[in-house]
Amino acid sequence: MGHGWALSLLVDWSCEGLLQQLHDLRPDVATYASLLALAQSNRGKVQSAIGNAEQGVDLAPANLPAVYLLAHLLLLVGRTAEAAARLHPLEDHLRTDAKAAFLMVRLRLMQRNVAGAMQWADVVRNIDPEGAFLIGLGQAFTLARLAEPATTFFETAAAARFTPEANIGLSIVATQRGDRMRARGLLLSALQFEGAKFTEGQTTGGLFHQILGRLNGLAEERLACTAWIATLPAGSGALAGRSVLVCAQGEVGARLHLETIVNATQGNGPPADLSHVSWRVAPKEQQPDRPVPPGVHSVVA
């Protein structure tokens, strides 16, 4: 038991097998069933997770986190009526827990009840003074193709200093509206990490790669490129001392792509001095085997 519990606390969901053994040994323990459901959901086994989450709730119906987990899983697969049946009796409790209230936002959006979703969004905001849930609200309304409220949530999140994630969200809204140029500008602005806040589970590295992926996804052309590795000198910049993979048709183009990204990370500061960047052609296994969007693709070291 101790090993599986410790791994779950470390968010290492390879503990699924251990939790399954515990659940098999003690199918009457609600905690084991719910923990197994959580592990399975994080490993993409949603249907199995729902079954075990239902067992956990049946064994301990007063365990609110277990009920919320089950409702979350039901919403993931579109079983809104069942999720509503679990959540509606708990509305008083939902109004005191931002994560739980956010489930009601998702439920109302899936029911196409925009007014109800906005009401629950107000509940979330009232019990989330730091604004961390603004990003999630923006994402939920973006997924529902409700650009105006999504934009408001992301702009408010940016004002609360969740700037990188807010700009990523705004870029998605711009893409939905067909404004690729604005989307690109917002993604470049999202690279300004200094002084920014991040929502739970997000890291600078993870967001950096997400932004690069979205920038490259906006590219209108795929070209036969050579991959280069550029190593930046030590210093104070976001990429100082790091090596990045840049794809371009020639070294001059690769230098321009790198300059764009590095300067974006510096915001309104002076242009970066890239004269001391070292360049080399990437090894064969890192060369693209088909046309790719030119640009900076990843941090490799």
Side-chain angles (χ1 to χ4, degrees):
M1 174 182 175
H3 194 188
W5 179 257
L7 288 173
S8 64
L9 289 176
L10 292 170
V11 199
D12 181 349
W13 301 117
S14 65
C15 64
E16 180 193 349
L18 295 171
L19 295 172
Q20 182 69 64
Q21 292 178 45
L22 287 170
H23 180 52
D24 292 342
L25 287 170
R26 293 293 306 275
D28 58 327
V29 177
T31 301
Y32 296 163
S34 295
L35 269 179
L36 176 57
L38 184 60
Q40 290 173 326
S41 68
N42 279 279
R43 303 189 79 185
K45 303 177 182 180
V46 180
Q47 296 298 339
S48 297
I50 288 173
N52 286 309
E54 287 175 333
Q55 289 184 44
V57 172
D58 289 343
L59 289 166
N63 185 335
L64 294 183
V67 177
Y68 299 154
L69 171 62
L70 174 57
H72 162 70
L73 294 171
L74 291 170
L75 289 175
L76 283 180
V77 296
R79 291 161 61 175
T80 55
E82 294 170 72
R86 300 286 184 176
L87 292 174
H88 284 164
L90 303 173
E91 285 200 14
D92 288 343
H93 295 284
L94 295 171
R95 294 180 184 278
T96 65
D97 184 322
K99 286 186 178 181
F102 184 71
L103 288 173
M104 289 299 294
V105 175
R106 292 173 53 202
L107 173 62
R108 293 292 181 252
L109 287 173
M110 293 179 71
Q111 293 173 326
R112 301 184 183 278
N113 181 350
V114 178
M118 291 298 296
Q119 290 173 357
W120 277 101
D122 286 340
V123 172
V124 173
R125 293 185 63 180
N126 287 335
I127 52 181
D128 174 37
E130 292 192 2
F133 277 86
L134 288 164
I135 297 296
L137 289 171
Q139 292 169 340
F141 280 79
T142 300
L143 190 62
R145 297 280 176 167
L146 296 168
E148 293 303 326
T151 297
T152 298
F153 290 130
F154 286 134
E155 288 177 345
T156 308
R161 292 173 50 202
F162 293 91
T163 319
E165 291 169 84
N167 280 326
I168 291 172
L170 289 168
S171 78
I172 296 172
V173 174
T175 300
Q176 288 181 348
R177 288 171 162 169
D179 192 343
R180 298 167 73 92
M181 184 175 296
R182 174 168 168 74
R184 176 177 169 78
L186 286 162
L187 287 170
L188 290 174
S189 295
L191 289 169
Q192 299 172 36
F193 296 119
E194 186 174 356
K197 294 180 180 179
F198 303 105
T199 58
E200 183 179 357
Q202 295 289 1
T203 64
T204 300
L207 287 172
F208 185 81
H209 280 98
Q210 182 184 156
I211 293 165
L212 292 181
R214 291 189 179 279
L215 281 169
N216 292 327
L218 288 173
E220 295 182 353
E221 56 184 0
R222 302 290 187 271
L223 302 175
C225 292
T226 298
W228 305 77
I229 292 179
T231 301
L232 286 80
S236 59
L239 291 174
R242 309 301 297 272
S243 294
V244 298
L245 187 75
V246 189
C247 291
Q249 292 188 297
E251 186 175 337
V252 172
R255 289 178 182 274
L256 291 174
H257 291 306
L258 179 65
E259 182 180 336
T260 297
I261 297 300
V262 173
N263 285 336
T265 66
Q266 299 189 175
N268 296 323
D273 178 9
L274 301 180
S275 60
H276 298 293
V277 174
S278 64
W279 291 86
R280 60 187 174 89
V281 176
K284 183 178 180 180
E285 62 270 17
Q286 291 179 299
Q287 292 295 331
D289 55 8
R290 61 184 181 277
V292 296
V296 177
H297 280 242
S298 64
V299 176
V300 294

